[in-house]
Amino acid sequence: MKIGEFEEEAVLISARQHFPDQVPVYVKSDLYLHGVESGAYKSDLYDDTIYVSTEYGYHHVMVQGNLTSVKIGIACILLKDEEYQVIYDSKDRYYVAVAEKDGYQFIEYDVFLKQVVATLKKLTENGDE
C-alpha cells in the first residue's frame, strides 16, 4: 500500500467501480498527521523520508537548485449522492486513495490517519530508525 498524489482520472475510474451508486469527486489533500511530534520519519506507505512540522507531512524536493520542503499530497475521494450535491459534513463520505498492486483501494479518512501514524518510525539525527 502506497500513498501519494495519483493520476486523477485513474483514481476516479477506480472510485466509480468501488462506489457505483455514488458520484466520486477527486480532491487533493495534504498529509495531516494528528498528534505526531516534529521530526523525521520513515513509513512503509511512502518512499521518501517524511518530515513532520505542525502535524503536516513534508518531503524534500529540488526547486531551481534549492532543496525545498513541500507538503506531501494525498489523493482523496469525496462521495456525493448526485453531482451537484453540497456536502456540509464529509464524515463517512471522504476516502483516501491508496495504491495497491491490483489498483486503488479507498480507506475512510479517519481510519487512514490512524493507520499511517501507526506506520511511522522516527529517525535519529543520523537518519537511523
Side-chain angles (χ1 to χ4, degrees), residues 6-113:
F6 305 120
E7 183 185 326
E8 181 176 344
E9 191 56 35
V11 172
L12 284 171
I13 288 169
S14 185
R16 287 181 194 116
Q17 293 170 347
H18 278 82
F19 306 104
D21 297 331
Q22 295 177 302
V23 178
V25 178
Y26 183 90
V27 179
K28 291 181 187 176
S29 188
D30 297 324
L31 181 60
Y32 178 67
L33 301 166
H34 180 68
V36 175
E37 66 182 51
S38 295
Y41 295 84
K42 279 290 190 189
S43 171
D44 295 336
L45 303 179
Y46 196 70
D47 293 332
D48 292 336
T49 299
I50 298 172
Y51 299 93
V52 177
S53 177
T54 63
E55 297 186 342
Y56 281 93
Y58 294 82
H59 65 128
H60 291 159
V61 295
M62 292 299 285
V63 177
Q64 297 181 353
N66 297 311
L67 193 60
T68 306
S69 293
V70 177
K71 283 185 182 177
I72 296 172
I74 55 175
C76 296
I77 292 293
L78 176 65
L79 297 177
K80 294 184 173 189
D81 295 326
E82 55 188 44
E83 187 174 356
Y84 298 106
Q85 178 183 13
V86 176
I87 304 294
Y88 294 104
D89 182 5
S90 62
K91 187 168 175 52
D92 301 326
R93 293 180 171 269
Y94 202 67
Y95 292 79
V96 177
V98 294
E100 298 280 358
K101 291 179 184 175
D102 59 342
Y104 296 103
Q105 298 297 319
F106 300 92
I107 302 172
E108 287 183 31
Y109 186 77
D110 291 342
V111 173
F112 168 78
L113 290 180

Side-chain angles (χ1 to χ4, degrees), residues 106-123:
F106 300 92
I107 302 172
E108 287 183 31
Y109 186 77
D110 291 342
V111 173
F112 168 78
L113 290 180
K114 291 174 187 169
Q115 286 180 347
V116 72
V117 168
T119 69
L120 295 176
K121 298 171 193 84
K122 190 160 187 172
L123 301 177

